[in-house]
Amino acid sequence: MDAINDFFTLLSSFLWGWPMIVLLLGTHVFLTFRLGVPQRRLLTGIRMSVKKDPGAEGDVSQFGALATALAATIGTGNIVGVATAVALGGPGAVLWCWLTGIFGMATKYAEGLLAVKYRVKGSDGHTYGGPMYALERGLNMKWLAVLFAVFTALASFGIGCTVQANSIALLANETFGLPTWLVGLAVSLLAAAVILGGVKSIARVCTVLVPFMAVLYVVGCIVILVMNGSYVWPAVKLIVVSAFNPSAAGGGFVGATVMMAMRFGIARGLFSNESGMGSAPIVAAAAQTRNPVRQALVSSTGTFWDTVIICALTGIVLVSSIMAYPDISYTDGGALTKVAFSKIPYIGAPLLTFGILTFAFSTILGWSYYGESAVNYLEVKGGKGDEEVKEVYHSRFYRILYIVALFFGSIINLDVIWNIADCMNALMAIPNLVALLLLNGVAARETKEFLWGNRLDETV
């Protein structure tokens, strides 16, 4: 097991190294300008996300699709992940994380557009889509579509399932002294109550859970910023200055470099919002929308909320807390986050615990749909007369296996699984980026016709 763990640790470091960071960030910047800077229509996307699109095809509302995607992306990375980036790359990492979110909105926009453009309706009446369908139907590259589906299915059991359940079990054990097996059983039963109902059930829960947990966490951040009032603006200035001159942060950050700030900030932003990874467009394809561009705008707001708002708030909270309380140890991301929130009297620590628990549980729900969609593509597509029966069978089998994996993920050591999951996530991104880059002309034409041609209300 040590040898296996060492192998995947090395592979993960390679896959998430500078080549992947440059490829992802380069795609973000390229699509931003290739599509005419769709970020300019952010407010339009936000308005559309909370409105229904009556008469449009799809399984869930646009907000339901957005909430499910956010459920999978808003997680512990928004809290502990940003703290780790600050600890390793200095305060300047926050700015690079934020910039990644700004440009990443264009990639998330393009992913949503292609997902709806190439989606299909199954024999069961449900809508299916995502990078595998764009690769097959848009580029005739079914072999690469199959690889993406395989990587997605494997990743769902890692980053979306076992590691989240493990995080919940360990946190509950440390905070409340609950046995990990009992927590695992509770998580499995709660997830089963939602997952077994399919995408509509998942979307219903996410539309309630995601806004609630996000608002509660943001309120907590604002309370800390009020308490750190006199340090907030200095913290913002330090974040900007140290992004290009890390030594300006002083103290334990003296050893940080611009490259370190960029690496850890960009990597955290990319990993947090999943723009370019290809996961979010799977659920975007199920949205009830009149045309691909409408859902593309809605999808792009996910990166805005996840990184531009939540990750940025977290970063400012952490840096201002370091300045306000010099005794804080900022070499450990998790410890830094706990200390920052513990400054809120009485409810600070419980608020952080609740945030991590709900963020992790919502990730479980979102990724269950991603994995199921990948399995359906691999096992059912192109079936014969009994296609509908097989589709139901495979969906149920996957859901049950996913729920069982949640329990075992809560009680076993997951060092190897973490590293394998990181590798699968990186391997998912490669086929998806191929689709985005080779189909950029399709995305550009649709954008020019519907977005810049003021035809957003037309049905296609």
Side-chain angles (χ1 to χ4, degrees):
M1 290 300 293
D2 288 340
I4 294 174
N5 189 40
D6 290 342
F7 169 77
F8 280 105
T9 299
L10 184 63
L11 181 60
S12 176
S13 298
F14 170 74
L15 291 173
W16 283 107
W18 275 110
M20 177 62 76
I21 291 175
V22 170
L23 180 60
L24 278 166
L25 186 60
T27 301
H28 293 351
V29 175
F30 168 72
L31 289 175
T32 292
F33 295 104
R34 179 71 172 94
L35 302 177
V37 193
Q39 293 93 325
R40 289 183 288 160
R41 301 300 294 272
L42 171 64
L43 293 179
T44 301
I46 293 174
R47 286 196 298 269
M48 287 181 177
S49 69
V50 295
K51 292 182 179 180
K52 291 185 177 181
D53 214 343
E57 290 189 359
D59 296 334
V60 298
S61 67
Q62 290 181 310
F63 183 71
L66 174 63
T68 304
L70 281 173
T73 55
I74 296 179
T76 54
N78 296 83
I79 305 175
V80 180
V82 175
T84 302
V86 171
L88 297 175
V94 177
L95 178 66
W96 293 110
C97 178
W98 186 78
L99 288 174
T100 300
I102 292 291
F103 286 105
M105 289 171 61
T107 298
K108 191 64 73 73
Y109 168 94
E111 288 180 313
L113 190 156
L114 295 176
V116 177
K117 174 74 175 177
Y118 293 108
R119 67 183 180 180
V120 300
K121 179 168 284 191
S123 60
D124 60 353
H126 291 307
T127 304
Y128 297 99
M132 52 276 203
Y133 293 90
L135 285 164
E136 181 182 347
R137 302 184 70 214
L139 295 171
N140 196 29
M141 300 174 70
K142 187 170 183 178
W143 64 274
L144 197 54
V146 169
L147 282 178
F148 175 84
V150 169
F151 296 145
T152 302
L154 292 175
S156 72
F157 283 104
I159 196 67
C161 176
T162 52
V163 298
Q164 301 298 331
N166 191 261
S167 297
I168 292 174
L170 290 178
L171 181 61
N173 178 260
E174 293 173 2
T175 307
F176 307 111
L178 298 174
T180 54
W181 69 267
L182 182 61
V183 177
L185 181 62
V187 170
S188 299
L189 292 175
L190 286 172
V194 180
I195 292 171
L196 292 177
V199 65
K200 292 184 178 180
S201 174
I202 294 171
R204 278 197 302 270
V205 173
C206 289
T207 54
V208 176
L209 180 61
V210 170
F212 174 72
M213 70 183 192
V215 168
L216 196 62
Y217 177 72
V218 168
V219 169
C221 287
I222 292 174
V223 170
I224 297 176
L225 292 178
V226 170
M227 294 173 61
N228 298 345
S230 59
Y231 295 94
V232 173
W233 182 241
V236 172
K237 290 195 292 185
L238 181 62
I239 287 171
V240 174
V241 171
S242 60
F244 307 97
N245 180 23
S247 62
F253 296 116
V254 171
T257 65
V258 174
M259 295 298 285
M260 289 173 65
M262 289 180 64
R263 178 185 175 186
F264 292 109
I266 292 172
R268 177 44 49 204
L270 295 173
F271 201 75
S272 172
N273 60 54
E274 296 183 9
S275 293
M277 192 178 294
S279 51
I282 294 175
V283 70
Q288 296 165 345
T289 184
R290 294 180 220 179
N291 59 65
V293 174
R294 289 177 70 91
Q295 182 55 35
L297 285 172
V298 173
S299 293
S300 69
T301 66
T303 299
F304 171 76
W305 296 121
D306 176 274
T307 305
V308 179
I309 298 298
I310 295 181
C311 283
L313 267 178
T314 301
I316 297 172
V317 162
L318 296 173
V319 176
S320 65
S321 294
I322 291 172
M323 299 177 72
Y325 310 102
D327 57 318
I328 290 181
S329 172
Y330 43 81
T331 57
D332 183 327
L336 171 58
T337 308
K338 289 180 181 179
V339 173
F341 272 82
S342 67
K343 299 301 180 180
I344 303 178
Y346 307 111
I347 65 170
L351 178 63
L352 178 63
T353 299
F354 178 78
I356 294 176
L357 291 175
T358 52
F359 282 8
F361 184 73
S362 70
T363 300
I364 289 171
L365 299 182
W367 269 93
S368 71
Y369 180 71
Y370 296 160
E372 181 181 332
S373 297
V375 169
N376 277 337
Y377 178 84
L378 291 170
E379 299 289 345
V380 181
K381 198 172 183 309
K384 305 252 168 77
D386 59 343
E387 179 181 352
E388 185 172 346
V389 175
K390 289 198 300 180
E391 191 157 349
V392 171
Y393 169 77
H394 288 301
S395 292
R396 289 178 179 173
F397 177 76
Y398 171 83
R399 293 171 191 172
I400 292 172
L401 189 62
Y402 191 88
I403 292 164
V404 172
L406 284 172
F407 175 76
F408 285 101
S410 303
I411 60 175
I412 62 176
N413 187 295
L414 292 180
D415 288 343
V416 176
I417 303 299
W418 265 110
N419 288 319
I420 294 175
D422 283 345
C423 292
M424 293 304 106
N425 283 348
L427 291 172
M428 281 175 62
I430 295 172
N432 181 57
L433 291 173
V434 169
L436 287 170
L437 294 173
L438 295 184
L439 292 172
N440 74 85
V442 175
R445 284 196 301 272
E446 295 279 329
T447 300
K448 181 178 180 181
E449 180 179 357
F450 290 96
L451 183 58
W452 308 128
N454 295 318
R455 298 175 57 192
L456 282 174
D457 293 331
E458 292 190 15
T459 301
V460 295

